[in-house]
């Protein structure tokens, strides 16, 4: 086995520079150039102090003009903007979850989508009080899908999955009136509250931001995760590879990008089809290579071991290799730049969802009923495009790392069972993890999540923070583009245990795990919520007492704010490396970084200095340990 060495950010950058040079040969644009045109950014926007929700404005708040035309002050304007930002994220994640519920409704033993994890379906059905005895599994799937879809618009009651939280957390949500009702209602209510002439009270706006966030994390996202597992299988540890070096010079490269696994799963099916492989060979390629970008990549990596080409700010890089026959996208985080960029190369940019339609793309509308035909057409299109490659433009940076991924909540339990003495202790619980935390062998855990953002040197914050934390015996659970940064650097290689403190290293060896556990895509942060809920229950403590924090050091999207809000509202302190657009209001900033602690026992910390951010998290973990007396 070759000697293990992390890939550095400098090496990532060297590869990117080579690709930009490749792009320069054909006049390709890239985000690195567009950032220059867009900076410095507008201060009103950055501070959240511009209001354009009615046509008396836009109103911009300055010392000379402290109120908008309607009389709204800066705190109301910043609070409204923050809530709208949250609602955008919550709607987006939850609509992804809704699509999965619709796909579940299409599940058919002879159709495109099957029930791959019937046990999980039955478990959720029982949890929801649905009779399962003697029912055909597909009838049950359809019944559950309808019940799940009702969670979006039911007139009364709160989200079903809230009952998974410890009693104390549920009581907080009730007491603070933030237990989320129907998901769509929370989004609509947020838009209603922020309409001209409605709420301008920061407390009310921040409270609804938490509620709308919770409807995502414990509602839409959780259903997205759970029913994706039912349809496509619950992830188990699996080997894969990460970074641009997973693209192959002699094969048809199909890149799947976006978030919804319904499309990418089908593409993977057809890319493995012997008929398609034979066709690729006929066209002069040695085979078909599917790799991923962003969360679609996480979904198929976790379930199939499909390699991860890159994360958010790498999406243009895959085209710049000149070796991408097709970049096939579903929804979210897709640069509209991919259309014009693809035109500089032979790449086909294929959009597939009515939700994400873009210029300069080939639109093959994908739906659950025709998924097989659609996927086959896309794979065929990519194969036929192989001959159009320009060899002089092919440049694949030979850089990749091995990664073990697939740590769903269920697979973490199974991994722990292997180190449980079943003669003495009960299996199927998080007790071994709790014992490691309580004894101090592991000091705590950090949930590393979120995007890349050009405001932070890409991937540096993710990677440097993870290195620092594991060296201090803090285990990492990661998702989204943060997970991909880790994988590309090598932190999901089991040999990365050598970078850990002695305690965590021992745990990695005993449990045979890497120190950074890939828990999936962004909607899969719901898996982390289940994990902390169960850990709190087994430790007989509140979630807010656990030595666990959340961190999004390079976040950029509305979804990330929705996530942050539900993580905080679940009782987990959350650390951000990029400022949300709230600095214009001392009241809103004060609530988010401090005031909400009185409501939900956790708050945000914003720190742009990565080293200080790491120190702050470690200090918080130790503070929590001291308070627990462990
Ligand atoms: S709602 Fe008020 S602050 Fe906003 S644009 Fe209209 S007048 Fe200006
Ligand atoms: S982490 Fe951020 S950039 Fe990456 S896929 Fe999720 S939302 Fe998009």
């Amino acid at each position: 086995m070759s000697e293990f060495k992390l890939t550095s950010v400098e090496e990532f950058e060297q590869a990117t520079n080579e690709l930009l040079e490749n792009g320069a040969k054909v006049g390709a644009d890239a985000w690195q150039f567009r950032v220059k045109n867009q900076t410095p950014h507008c201060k009103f926007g950055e501070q959240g102090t511009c209001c354009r929700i009615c046509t008396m404005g836009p109103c911009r708040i300055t010392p000379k003009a402290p109120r908008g035309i309607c009389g709204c002050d800066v705190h109301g304007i910043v609070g409204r903007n923050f809530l709208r930002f949250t609602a955008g994220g919550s709607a987006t994640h939850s609509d992804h979850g809704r699509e999965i519920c619709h796909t579940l409704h299409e599940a058919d033993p002879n159709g495109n989508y099957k029930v791959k994890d019937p046990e999980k379906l039955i478990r959720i059905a029982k949890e929801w009080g649905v009779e399962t005895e003697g029912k055909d599994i597909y009838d049950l799937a359809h019944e559950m899908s309808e019940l799940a879809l009702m969670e979006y618009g039911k007139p009364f009651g709160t989200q079903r999955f809230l009952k998974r939280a410890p009693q104390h957390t549920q009581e907080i949500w009730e007491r603070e009136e933030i237990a989320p009702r129907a998901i769509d209602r929370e989004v609509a209510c947020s838009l209603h509250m922020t309409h001209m002439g409605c709420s301008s009270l920061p407390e009310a706006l921040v409270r609804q931001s938490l509620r709308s966030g919770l409807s995502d994390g414990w509602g839409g996202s959780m259903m997205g995760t759970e029913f994706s597992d039912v349809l496509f299988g619950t992830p188990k540890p699996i080997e894969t590879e990460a970074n641009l070096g997973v693209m192959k010079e002699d094969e048809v490269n199909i890149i799947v990008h976006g978030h919804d696994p319904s499309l990418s799963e089908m593409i993977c099916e057809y890319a493995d089809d012997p008929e398609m492989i034979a066709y690729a060979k006929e066209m002069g390629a040695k085979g078909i290579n599917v790799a991923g970008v962003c969360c679609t990549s996480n979904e198929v990596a976790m379930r199939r071991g499909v390699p991860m080409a890159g994360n958010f700010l790498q999406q243009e890089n895959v085209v710049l290799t000149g070796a991408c026959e097709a970049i096939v996208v579903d929804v979210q985080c897709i640069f509209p730049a991919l259309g014009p960029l693809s035109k500089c190369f032979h790449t086909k940019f294929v959009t597939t969802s009515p939700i994400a339609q873009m210029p300069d793309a080939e639109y093959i509308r994908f739906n659950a009923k025709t998924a097989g035909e659609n996927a086959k057409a896309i794979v065929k299109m990519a194969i036929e495009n192989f001959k159009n490659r320009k060899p002089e433009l092919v440049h694949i940076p030979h850089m990749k790392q091995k990664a073990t991924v697939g740590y769903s909540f269920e697979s973490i339990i199974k991994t722990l069972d292997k180190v449980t003495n079943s003669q003495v202790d009960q299996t199927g619980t998080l007790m071994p993890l709790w014992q490691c935390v309580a004894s101090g062998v592991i000091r705590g855990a950090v949930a590393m999540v979120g995007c890349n953002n050009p405001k932070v040197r890409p991937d540096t914050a993710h990677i440097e923070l993870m290195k620092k934390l594991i060296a201090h015996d803090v285990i990492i659970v990661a998702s989204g583009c943060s997970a991909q940064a880790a994988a590309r650097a090598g932190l999901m290689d089991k040999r990365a245990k050598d970078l850990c403190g002695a305690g965590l290293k021992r745990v990695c060896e005993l449990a045979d795990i890497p120190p950074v556990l890939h828990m999936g895509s962004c909607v899969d942060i719901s898996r982390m919520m289940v994990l902390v809920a169960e850990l709190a229950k087994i430790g007989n403590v509140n979630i807010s007492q656990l030595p666990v924090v959340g961190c999004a050091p390079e976040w950029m999207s509305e979804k990330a704010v929705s996530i942050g809000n539900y993580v905080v509202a679940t009782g987990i302190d959350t650390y951000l490396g990029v400022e949300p657009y709230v600095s214009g209001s001392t009241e809103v900033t004060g609530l988010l970084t401090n005031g909400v602690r009185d409501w939900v026992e956790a708050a945000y910390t914003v720190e742009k200095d990565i080293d200080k951010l790491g120190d702050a998290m470690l200090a918080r973990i130790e503070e929590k340990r001291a308070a627990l007396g462990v």
Side-chain angles (χ1 to χ4, degrees):
M1 196 182 276
S2 61
E3 199 194 326
F4 173 67
K5 182 182 155 296
L6 289 184
T7 308
S8 67
V9 170
E10 287 72 22
E11 288 170 292
F12 289 178
E13 287 171 345
Q14 174 60 30
T16 297
N17 289 340
E18 286 167 19
L19 289 169
L20 291 174
E21 280 169 30
N22 208 31
K25 293 181 202 157
V26 288
D29 193 11
W31 66 261
Q32 289 85 343
F33 310 125
R34 295 189 296 271
V35 164
K36 290 192 182 129
N37 297 337
Q38 286 295 342
T39 43
H41 296 286
C42 164
K43 287 285 166 227
F44 294 99
E46 273 190 336
Q47 295 172 358
T49 55
C50 168
C51 182
R52 47 185 295 281
I53 62 171
C54 89
T55 60
M56 292 193 285
C59 298
R60 303 188 302 179
I61 302 301
T62 63
K64 274 199 192 150
R67 287 183 186 265
I69 291 168
C70 66
C72 191
D73 68 10
V74 74
H75 310 297
I77 289 175
V78 170
R80 286 197 303 227
N81 286 337
F82 184 72
L83 177 51
R84 285 204 160 204
F85 210 91
T86 307
S90 172
T92 304
H93 270 157
S94 299
D95 208 35
H96 164 173
R98 182 189 340 246
E99 286 297 323
I100 298 294
C101 297
H102 277 290
T103 306
L104 185 65
H105 203 261
E106 293 295 326
D108 182 330
N110 305 309
N112 291 313
Y113 296 103
K114 319 245 181 331
V115 171
K116 286 209 179 141
D117 191 342
E119 276 170 35
K120 184 154 187 171
L121 179 63
I122 292 169
R123 211 164 62 236
I124 304 169
K126 287 187 174 154
E127 187 184 338
W128 284 9
V130 173
E131 183 55 59
T132 59
E133 269 318 296
K135 250 182 218 166
D136 174 78
I137 199 72
Y138 283 87
D139 289 341
L140 182 64
H142 303 150
E143 186 180 345
M144 288 298 288
S145 126
E146 284 178 24
L147 282 178
L149 288 164
M150 287 299 288
E151 290 300 289
Y152 286 83
K154 63 186 183 185
F156 307 108
T158 53
Q159 287 299 298
R160 287 174 180 268
F161 279 137
L162 301 189
K163 292 203 171 58
R164 289 182 167 187
Q167 195 56 33
H168 176 74
T169 311
Q170 292 184 50
E171 281 164 15
I172 290 176
W173 293 339
E174 281 302 323
R175 185 191 71 210
E176 298 301 330
E177 289 190 57
I178 55 171
R181 302 157 294 182
I183 298 160
D184 291 349
R185 180 174 185 184
E186 298 308 352
V187 172
C189 179
S190 303
L191 295 181
H192 188 178
M193 284 178 74
T194 54
H195 191 273
M196 192 272 154
C198 287
S199 289
S200 51
L201 190 69
E203 287 81 358
L205 295 162
V206 170
R207 201 177 284 277
Q208 180 59 21
S209 301
L210 299 183
R211 195 174 207 178
S212 186
L214 283 169
S215 76
D216 164 3
W218 291 82
S221 274
M222 201 167 277
M223 289 197 286
T225 295
E226 297 296 66
F227 295 121
S228 291
D229 286 354
V230 168
L231 281 166
F232 308 120
T234 302
K236 303 183 184 81
I238 188 167
E239 304 298 319
T240 186
E241 291 179 327
N243 220 344
L244 289 163
V246 304
M247 294 179 71
K248 295 189 179 156
E249 261 172 52
D250 47 7
E251 296 195 13
V252 173
N253 288 303
I254 302 176
I255 300 294
V256 288
H257 174 19
H259 287 73
D260 185 339
S262 309
L263 165 74
S264 45
E265 280 284 332
M266 280 292 132
I267 299 278
C268 292
E269 286 287 330
Y270 281 91
D272 277 348
D273 181 357
E275 189 196 322
M276 287 290 126
I277 295 170
Y279 189 43
K281 289 187 175 157
E282 217 177 285
M283 292 288 145
K286 288 216 170 117
I288 305 170
N289 179 40
V290 180
V293 169
C294 278
C295 280
T296 280
S297 174
N298 290 321
E299 298 276 358
V300 285
M302 292 267 285
R303 296 197 177 89
R304 292 174 174 264
V306 167
M308 300 179 272
N311 46 2
F312 180 60
L313 285 180
Q314 294 256 300
Q315 58 184 289
E316 289 171 301
N317 284 5
V318 295
V319 178
L320 288 167
T321 60
C324 173
E325 274 58 55
I327 180 160
V328 188
V329 302
D330 49 83
V331 291
Q332 304 167 23
C333 301
I334 300 147
F335 275 3
L338 291 177
L341 177 62
S342 296
K343 298 255 174 290
C344 297
F345 293 86
H346 74 303
T347 307
K348 300 274 185 197
F349 175 45
V350 185
T351 53
T352 59
S353 167
I355 302 282
Q357 303 181 53
M358 295 186 189
D360 299 312
E362 315 231 1
Y363 181 44
I364 299 186
R365 187 169 176 165
F366 189 84
N367 74 59
K369 284 202 170 56
T370 56
E373 290 162 44
N374 299 146
K376 197 168 176 181
I378 292 168
V379 172
K380 223 164 155 228
M381 178 198 278
I383 294 171
E384 286 165 359
N385 197 25
F386 183 74
K387 62 177 181 303
N388 297 324
R389 249 194 218 179
K390 298 187 182 77
E392 68 282 10
L393 287 180
V394 173
H395 177 81
I396 301 175
H398 294 291
M399 184 184 285
K400 61 181 177 182
Q401 289 277 6
K402 288 186 190 309
T404 306
V405 301
Y407 291 96
S408 56
F409 173 73
E410 290 84 344
S411 72
I412 290 177
I413 295 270
K414 284 203 180 105
T415 303
L416 293 170
D417 278 352
K418 288 190 211 142
V419 293
T420 303
N421 180 349
S422 57
Q423 306 292 320
V424 185
D425 293 316
Q426 199 190 336
T427 54
T429 77
L430 291 175
M431 187 48 94
L433 177 60
W434 171 252
Q435 285 166 342
C436 284
V437 173
S439 66
V441 176
I442 293 177
R443 304 302 295 172
V446 176
M448 294 285 300
V449 305
C451 332
N452 301 124
N453 186 326
K455 289 181 180 169
V456 180
R457 187 179 176 192
D459 297 321
T460 321
H462 292 300
I463 294 167
E464 292 308 317
L465 284 170
M466 289 186 204
K467 280 161 58 183
K468 181 171 184 143
L469 293 164
I470 62 174
H472 284 84
D473 291 321
V474 172
I475 193 165
I476 310 288
V477 287
S479 72
C481 290
S482 184
Q484 290 172 328
R488 289 170 50 231
L491 288 163
M492 287 179 176
D493 186 315
K494 289 178 185 167
R495 291 171 293 175
K497 68 179 168 45
D498 292 330
L499 305 169
C500 301
L504 180 57
K505 181 175 177 181
R506 186 87 191 104
V507 170
C508 289
E509 282 168 351
L510 281 174
D512 192 28
I513 53 170
V516 179
L517 300 180
H518 194 319
M519 285 196 83
S521 63
C522 292
V523 291
D524 292 340
I525 295 169
S526 61
R527 298 188 199 277
M528 298 178 185
M529 297 301 100
V530 175
L531 184 68
V532 288
E534 292 306 312
L535 193 61
K537 286 181 205 163
I538 202 108
N540 206 17
V541 297
N542 298 331
I543 290 179
S544 61
Q545 291 175 294
L546 293 170
V548 170
V549 301
C551 179
E554 304 185 24
W555 71 278
M556 61 87 202
S557 72
E558 290 172 323
K559 292 179 289 175
V561 167
S562 177
I563 294 167
N565 287 346
Y566 74 71
V567 173
V568 166
T570 300
I572 303 167
D573 287 308
T574 298
Y575 291 76
L576 305 178
V578 177
E579 270 186 299
Y581 298 147
V582 297
S583 62
S585 161
T586 48
E587 287 188 25
V588 175
T589 304
L591 278 170
L592 294 175
T593 56
N594 195 24
V596 293
R597 193 176 295 287
D598 292 339
W599 307 346
V600 294
E601 303 177 348
Y604 283 104
T605 298
V606 184
E607 175 56 70
K608 289 196 266 184
D609 181 312
I610 293 312
D611 218 34
K612 286 187 189 153
L613 190 68
D615 289 341
M617 288 194 280
L618 288 170
R620 191 74 184 120
I621 284 171
E622 291 305 325
E623 241 174 71
K624 297 220 177 212
R625 297 191 64 87
L628 271 178
V630 296

